[in-house]
Amino acid sequence: MTNYQRFRKCGGLALLCVLLGTLCKTGCGQIRYSVSEELDKGSFVGNIAKDLGLEPQELAERGVRIVSRGRTQLFALNPRSGSLVTADRIDREELCAQSPQCLVSFNILVEDKLNIFEVEIEIKDLNDNAPDFLTEELEIKISELTVPGTRFPLKTAFDPDVGTNSLLNYQLSPNDYFSLAVKSVTDGAKYPELVLQRSLDREEKKVHQLVLTASDGGDPVHSGNLGIQVTVLDANDNPPVFTQPEYRVSVQENLPVGTWLLTVNATDPDEGFNAQVSYVLDKMPGKIAQIFNLNSVTGDLTILKNLDYEDATFYEIKIEAQDGPGLLSRAKILVTVLDVNDNAPEVTITSLTESVPEESTAGREIALINVHDRDSGQNGQVTVFVLGNMPFNLEKSINQYYRLVTTRSLDREQESEYNITLRATDGGSPPLSTDTHITLHVADINDNPPAFTHDSYSAYIAENNPRGASIFSVTAQDPDSIENAHITYALTEDTIQGAPLSTYVSINSDTGILYALHSFDFEQIRDLQVLVTASDSGNPPLSSNVSLSLFVLDQNDNTPEILYPALPTDGSTGVELAPRSAEPGYLVTKVVAVDRDSGQNAWLSYRLLKASDPGLFAVGLHTGEVRTARALLDRDALKQSLVVAVQDHGQPPLSATVTLTVAVADSIPDILTDLGSLKPSVDPDDSSLTLYLVVVVAAVSCVFLAFVIVLLALRLRHWHTSRLFQASGSGLAGVPASQFVGVDGVRAFLQTYSHEVSLTADSRGSHVIFPQPNYADTLISQESCEKSEPLLISQDLLVMKGDPNELQLRALELHSLSFETDYKM
């Protein structure tokens, strides 16, 4: 049955709590038990779970385990019962030899809290060994001349037990000549001596057989016997005597094998064979005979194997000097081993965390280590530190335990792995050191949003692109790892001209490639502003945005559009007026065209493609102005037909054409007469209608001249307004203000301040327009042209042929209305 004790030690005072089966905790964190030797494997030692304040099942959950260094494990933990048990049979004598107290110390680690508890177990001795003389027979030769009372030292018995179980007394078998005397010394050892009680007579008895019995004090008592054969000799009455009872020598542990330590010497005053002295090592248990050699003749003590201060610091060697007949004397050699710094510090990693998250704050435990140096004194003083400039530090725990902790928070993006080197150095000369390497991985957290390679992007795509075409690729980087670095791309929803942005472009969520879902038209959409979002897959996810400007590039996909002269909607042909008195370079009209493209694709050039009289007119290359190339002659035909081509500078170039009809005449009657002759009317009513209209034109002209002064003032004001409009308007402000005269669908420009009468011989309606003055170097905008709508002369005007006054009044009203319209423009 196991006996165990625990003691509380604080301030040097020891209190025995319980002798059997009782436990005490020490205020210093030490647990103590006692147990007898030779118990079976698995024998109960103590309830360690209870003493640690834990339940039995918590031993495994909290990682409770025994930590011992450099020694066979003698004890184990029973996780079911929570008790400390023996791991094997324990032999106290093998473990502690003859030490009065046998203590076994080890540590118990609670790994989840990195708590260390010291456990000390006292091994109690059992009387399991009998005294042993280490030899069965002893022969003593005694001269017959030996006087009674002479003492003869006998072999001592050895009992490895301690205390009451050790050697207690000696007994000698009954005889007539000898008695037993036991000599006790200060260290408690007992030496038996054979005492001669009366003189020997060799002739009576040559040999005496005795038995020496050694008994211990155990229960039951064990004993051992030594047979003593006393041979009676003649005249050797002096044993050898050593020059000193104790020899002392100090040696360093690193001495080579065979080194001489000292020489012992004993003298014998006898002569001859009785004075021949030989030296021997007294038979003792242990390894002394394997370590030292004593020369039997010279008495020289040498080393048989290397000494190790860490194994033994002191040796007590018992020696004997024996003369020829067998008399002997004893002495001691005390060998002190001096320490040499021959052991480097040992570093043991007791607990280790291989990975920590980068968000960990300073003071995070990484490992628990133990340092130890088998040397002593200054050679065994160990300092341990972290090599290099690293964010780690060592904090002292109990005894020689240290905690490796962080000194600041770690950043995986700066350093994802640390190779930590711990260096332990002793205080010897020269110092010895040991390096221990620890690899620590920094686990990633999602603390970095994706970052684009540029602050903003610009991309270009040609119009008329195919749907699904790749436009551009954006890239974002995330310094995190694994899923925290997996980036997906998306577009922020927006509207473009009332339509969702997603109908125009899309983005590949994995690659960041932007695709066109729409065929762009530069004339409708010239640029898009897109916001791209890059998000990682962390928890929670982080994101960042970048703006992308998508510009649509123009292509030459629009032909020039001729704004002036505009194609009439009533089937008539536009006619421009050129007086026969016009000088070379006279501005007849101007062709105005625009191109919906931009840049070079919208640069227009004009050229005369075809003319009825090729040398009569010329077209400005860049202005589109149609001017006379020479003076007009009487032989020149009244009607001149010109085909003007307008071409852009795209690749390939696109073009458009317009046909102009120029009437050559000096006055309105001339042109009317000539125009009438161009296409004679087949209807008498049409001729009458034309006559009345001519009368109306003449009447209106007279009235108009009366108001010319007022008109000039108003026109100056209107000219100022049109100049402002021309500065803010489009490039179409250069269209000349021409007027039309239409007969049989033909229109003609008048180049002076004149009214315009549109006469149609083949319809029942006519137009009268009072246009603005025409300047050769002034163009009106398209808007102005569109607002100069003709005034409709109703059928009632045509039937008032018999009332000239009323006709003049109606013409005056029409003129005023046209004047007001012009003013508003």
Side-chain angles (χ1 to χ4, degrees):
M1 182 176 182
T2 302
N3 296 325
Y4 58 95
Q5 291 180 324
R6 302 184 56 206
F7 296 88
R8 185 185 306 268
K9 297 188 296 182
C10 280
L13 298 179
L15 178 61
L16 178 62
C17 296
V18 180
L19 294 176
L20 296 175
T22 303
L23 300 176
C24 291
K25 291 185 179 179
T26 69
C28 300
Q30 187 183 66
I31 302 173
R32 186 170 182 179
Y33 301 97
S34 64
V35 64
S36 297
E37 64 172 332
E38 300 299 331
L39 291 178
D40 293 334
K41 179 180 180 181
S43 297
F44 177 83
V45 177
N47 191 343
I48 193 65
K50 180 180 178 181
D51 297 331
L52 293 176
L54 304 174
E55 294 297 328
Q57 63 271 16
E58 289 183 287
L59 295 182
E61 295 173 357
R62 300 185 64 177
V64 178
R65 58 188 175 92
I66 295 175
V67 180
S68 62
R69 175 182 49 79
R71 175 175 289 179
T72 304
Q73 189 61 259
L74 301 177
F75 300 93
L77 295 176
N78 188 327
R80 295 184 178 179
S81 63
S83 59
L84 184 68
V85 298
T86 58
D88 204 346
R89 294 181 67 88
I90 301 175
D91 187 350
R92 183 189 183 282
E93 288 71 29
E94 180 181 356
L95 190 64
C96 299
Q98 288 186 295
S99 298
Q101 190 177 30
C102 184
L103 298 177
V104 176
S105 298
F106 56 88
N107 296 321
I108 289 184
L109 170 66
V110 182
E111 189 154 8
D112 63 337
K113 296 296 184 181
L114 294 183
N115 290 333
I116 292 290
F117 296 89
E118 292 185 10
V119 178
E120 188 176 82
I121 299 178
E122 182 180 9
I123 310 300
K124 293 295 185 178
D125 183 50
L126 292 178
N127 190 23
D128 56 343
N129 294 282
D132 186 11
F133 287 93
L134 303 180
T135 183
E136 296 181 357
E137 295 289 334
L138 174 62
E139 181 181 9
I140 300 177
K141 297 178 181 181
I142 302 176
S143 173
E144 61 181 350
L145 299 179
T146 303
V147 297
T150 303
R151 297 185 176 217
F152 301 93
L154 301 177
K155 294 291 184 181
T156 57
F158 177 76
D159 191 335
D161 295 327
V162 295
T164 59
N165 297 325
S166 63
L167 180 65
L168 181 62
N169 55 47
Y170 292 92
Q171 291 182 351
L172 187 65
S173 61
N175 64 89
D176 298 331
Y177 292 92
F178 300 94
S179 65
L180 182 65
V182 178
K183 182 180 179 181
S184 298
V185 295
T186 56
D187 60 359
K190 297 179 179 181
Y191 296 96
E193 294 180 342
L194 188 65
V195 181
L196 180 64
Q197 295 293 328
R198 64 178 184 170
S199 300
L200 298 174
D201 188 357
R202 181 179 178 276
E203 287 70 28
E204 289 182 3
K205 192 174 184 177
K206 296 181 179 180
V207 177
H208 298 267
Q209 298 290 341
L210 305 175
V211 176
L212 178 64
T213 302
S215 302
D216 60 22
D219 185 17
V221 176
H222 295 287
S223 62
N225 297 326
L226 172 66
I228 301 175
Q229 178 177 309
V230 179
T231 302
V232 181
L233 300 176
D234 287 335
N236 186 27
D237 55 351
N238 292 292
V241 178
F242 284 98
T243 56
Q244 57 189 67
E246 289 183 352
Y247 295 86
R248 296 178 179 272
V249 63
S250 297
V251 297
Q252 291 186 337
E253 61 176 326
N254 60 350
L255 291 179
V257 174
T259 300
W260 170 86
L261 301 183
L262 56 79
T263 300
V264 297
N265 184 36
T267 59
D268 193 323
D270 295 327
E271 295 181 355
F273 177 75
N274 295 330
Q276 292 181 3
V277 180
S278 61
Y279 305 93
V280 294
L281 292 175
D282 193 3
K283 292 184 178 179
M284 296 184 64
K287 302 178 180 179
I288 291 180
Q290 301 175 10
I291 299 175
F292 301 98
N293 177 59
L294 182 62
N295 189 295
S296 62
V297 177
T298 63
D300 293 336
L301 184 68
T302 57
I303 300 174
L304 292 178
K305 57 184 298 190
N306 292 321
L307 302 179
D308 192 346
Y309 175 88
E310 288 69 39
D311 290 342
T313 62
F314 178 80
Y315 293 95
E316 181 179 333
I317 307 171
K318 296 180 180 180
I319 59 174
E320 295 177 350
Q322 185 175 356
D323 59 18
L327 293 181
L328 57 85
S329 62
R330 294 186 179 88
K332 291 181 181 180
I333 301 176
L334 304 180
V335 179
T336 301
V337 181
L338 301 179
D339 185 37
V340 175
N341 190 28
D342 58 345
N343 291 283
E346 300 174 4
V347 179
T348 303
I349 300 176
T350 306
S351 180
L352 175 63
T353 300
E354 296 183 350
S355 176
V356 295
E358 60 178 325
E359 64 181 355
S360 300
T361 57
R364 175 66 180 263
E365 292 90 353
I366 305 301
L368 179 67
I369 65 171
N370 175 263
V371 295
H372 175 73
D373 195 315
R374 297 180 63 196
D375 295 323
S376 64
Q378 189 67 24
N379 296 333
Q381 297 296 322
V382 180
T383 57
V384 60
F385 54 92
V386 180
L387 285 182
N389 185 18
M390 305 190 77
F392 303 99
N393 192 22
L394 287 170
E395 295 180 354
K396 185 73 182 320
S397 183
I398 64 171
N399 295 337
Q400 292 299 313
Y401 283 90
Y402 294 85
R403 286 188 179 94
L404 179 65
V405 299
T406 58
T407 58
R408 58 173 173 81
S409 60
L410 307 180
D411 190 349
R412 192 204 66 83
E413 287 69 45
Q414 293 181 359
E415 195 76 33
S416 62
E417 180 181 284
Y418 290 92
N419 291 317
I420 307 169
T421 301
L422 306 180
R423 175 165 293 177
T425 304
D426 61 24
S429 180
L432 301 179
S433 61
T434 300
D435 289 347
T436 301
H437 304 282
I438 296 176
T439 300
L440 178 66
H441 300 278
V442 181
D444 183 48
I445 64 171
N446 192 26
D447 57 346
N448 291 281
F452 288 94
T453 55
H454 296 84
D455 295 335
S456 62
Y457 294 90
S458 296
Y460 301 88
I461 183 173
E463 65 173 332
N464 304 319
N465 59 283
R467 294 182 180 180
S470 172
I471 302 175
F472 193 69
S473 175
V474 296
T475 303
Q477 303 293 334
D478 195 320
D480 294 324
S481 64
I482 316 176
E483 68 274 1
N484 295 332
H486 181 262
I487 300 175
T488 57
Y489 301 89
L491 298 178
T492 301
E493 192 57 49
D494 197 359
T495 57
I496 304 298
Q497 296 183 354
L501 176 65
S502 57
T503 62
Y504 288 90
V505 291
S506 68
I507 192 169
N508 188 303
S509 61
D510 295 325
T511 63
I513 299 177
L514 199 68
Y515 295 95
L517 302 180
H518 183 82
S519 182
F520 291 99
D521 187 350
F522 176 82
E523 287 70 40
Q524 294 182 1
I525 299 176
R526 297 198 174 191
D527 61 83
L528 296 176
Q529 296 298 324
V530 179
L531 192 64
V532 181
T533 301
S535 303
D536 58 28
S537 300
N539 186 18
L542 301 178
S543 62
S544 60
N545 300 324
V546 69
S547 62
L548 170 64
S549 299
L550 178 61
F551 298 98
V552 181
L553 300 179
D554 182 45
Q555 288 186 327
N556 193 27
D557 59 343
N558 291 281
T559 58
E561 180 181 351
I562 298 175
L563 300 179
Y564 186 85
L567 295 176
T569 59
D570 57 357
S572 62
T573 302
V575 177
E576 305 293 338
L577 181 63
R580 289 190 177 273
S581 60
E583 297 294 330
Y586 175 80
L587 177 63
V588 178
T589 187
K590 183 174 183 178
V591 177
V592 179
V594 294
D595 195 316
R596 295 179 61 193
D597 296 322
S598 65
Q600 184 174 342
N601 296 328
W603 296 353
L604 301 180
S605 60
Y606 303 83
R607 61 189 178 91
L608 185 60
L609 188 63
K610 182 179 179 182
S612 55
D613 190 346
L616 183 56
F617 298 97
V619 178
L621 178 63
H622 300 296
T623 63
E625 295 175 347
V626 179
R627 296 179 181 271
T628 56
R630 60 176 174 80
L632 297 177
L633 305 176
D634 293 338
R635 66 174 181 271
D636 292 329
L638 171 65
K639 179 182 178 182
Q640 298 289 333
S641 179
L642 307 177
V643 178
V644 179
V646 183
Q647 180 176 291
D648 59 29
H649 287 71
Q651 291 296 331
L654 301 178
S655 62
T657 59
V658 63
T659 302
L660 301 176
T661 301
V662 179
V664 179
D666 289 327
S667 62
I668 293 176
D670 293 340
I671 190 174
L672 291 178
T673 302
D674 294 339
L675 290 175
S677 65
L678 294 175
K679 185 177 181 182
S681 175
V682 297
D683 189 351
D685 293 335
D686 292 342
S687 300
S688 300
L689 178 60
T690 302
L691 178 61
Y692 283 113
L693 289 176
V694 171
V695 174
V696 171
V697 170
V700 172
S701 298
C702 294
V703 175
F704 180 75
L705 292 176
F707 294 97
V708 66
I709 299 174
V710 178
L711 181 61
L712 287 175
L714 293 176
R715 291 311 300 166
L716 287 175
R717 182 178 180 181
H718 176 71
W719 175 82
H720 177 69
T721 303
S722 65
R723 293 289 290 184
L724 295 177
F725 181 78
Q726 180 181 1
S728 61
S730 65
L732 304 181
V735 180
S738 301
Q739 296 79 23
F740 298 93
V741 175
V743 177
D744 296 331
V746 180
R747 296 181 182 180
F749 278 104
L750 301 178
Q751 301 300 322
T752 61
Y753 284 110
S754 62
H755 54 272
E756 177 183 351
V757 179
S758 177
L759 306 177
T760 56
D762 55 353
S763 66
R764 303 300 296 171
S766 302
H767 297 277
V768 178
I769 298 177
F770 296 91
Q772 303 171 7
N774 180 30
Y775 296 93
D777 57 349
T778 303
L779 299 178
I780 64 173
S781 65
Q782 181 182 3
E783 182 180 0
S784 300
C785 296
E786 290 174 353
K787 288 184 178 180
S788 299
E789 295 293 341
L791 299 178
L792 179 64
I793 300 177
S794 66
Q795 183 66 29
D796 295 338
L797 178 62
L798 301 179
V799 299
M800 292 188 298
K801 293 183 287 185
D803 192 351
N805 295 329
E806 187 174 354
L807 180 60
Q808 290 179 359
L809 180 61
R810 180 62 59 87
L812 183 59
E813 291 175 354
L814 292 175
H815 177 271
S816 301
L817 180 59
S818 177
F819 177 79
E820 292 175 0
T821 302
D822 235 359
Y823 178 77
K824 291 178 181 179
M825 290 168 54

